[in-house]
């Protein structure tokens, strides 16, 4: 059984930075994609960034140039470095792990990020 444990959310002023972490526990031997999604009140969950076990990265246009996703394949663990944060980045951030074989998808419990002065 795979579990995802997230950490690093909190309250930050506009222009500030935060780093989110998501560690997967359990045995994962297949290729996988790890990513961060976010959901603001009254809005749908949206992709923020993703990274494959081979290192292919994808960002939402709204975070390009401000957020950086990295990954340690031992674990695996995925990180999201968020800089130049804006109030519109306020949301619950969720980590997702999608395993190629056997095909499985796992979600973290979510961590709140609030950008406010």
């Amino acid at each position: 059984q795979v579990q995802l444990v997230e950490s690093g959310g909190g309250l930050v002023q506009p222009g500030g930075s935060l780093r989110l972490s998501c560690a997967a526990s359990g045995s994962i031997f297949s290729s996988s994609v790890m990513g961060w999604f976010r959901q603001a009140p009254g809005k749908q969950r949206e992709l923020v960034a993703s990274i494959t076990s081979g290192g292919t990265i994808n960002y939402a246009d709204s975070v390009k140039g401000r957020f950086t996703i990295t990954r340690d394949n031992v674990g695996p663990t995925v990180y999201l470095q968020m800089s130049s944060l804006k109030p519109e980045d306020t949301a619950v951030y969720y980590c997702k792990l999608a395993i190629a074989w056997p095909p499985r998808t796992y979600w973290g419990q979510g961590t709140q990020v609030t950008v406010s002065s």
Side-chain angles (χ1 to χ4, degrees), residues 102-113:
R104 294 283 189 274
T105 298
Y106 302 91
W107 288 92
Q109 78 280 7
T111 184
Q112 178 69 47
V113 171

Side-chain angles (χ1 to χ4, degrees), residues 9 26 29 45 47 51 67 72-73 75-76 80 86 90 92 99 109 111 116:
F29 302 103
R45 190 173 296 188
L47 172 69
I51 183 169
F67 291 10
D72 182 346
N73 281 331
L80 186 68
K86 304 175 181 179
T90 296
V92 178
I99 298 174
Q109 78 280 7
T111 184
S116 175

Side-chain angles (χ1 to χ4, degrees), residues 8-107:
L11 172 65
V12 64
Q13 292 186 342
S17 299
L18 279 176
R19 188 190 194 214
L20 306 183
S21 300
C22 174
S25 64
S27 299
I28 301 171
F29 302 103
S30 174
S31 59
S32 62
V33 181
M34 297 191 78
W36 290 95
F37 289 71
R38 66 187 180 187
Q39 188 166 19
K43 295 188 177 181
Q44 290 188 329
R45 190 173 296 188
E46 63 176 2
L47 172 69
V48 176
S50 65
I51 183 169
T52 69
S53 48
T56 300
I57 292 173
N58 183 42
Y59 292 106
D61 288 343
S62 60
V63 306
K64 284 181 180 177
R66 301 188 298 121
F67 291 10
T68 302
I69 189 170
T70 56
R71 172 179 176 149
D72 182 346
N73 281 331
V74 178
T77 300
V78 66
Y79 305 94
L80 186 68
Q81 178 67 47
M82 304 185 291
S83 302
S84 302
L85 283 161
K86 304 175 181 179
E88 50 263 44
D89 295 317
T90 296
V92 178
Y93 283 69
Y94 296 91
C95 175
K96 178 183 176 181
L97 167 65
I99 298 174
W101 190 262
R104 294 283 189 274
T105 298
Y106 302 91
W107 288 92

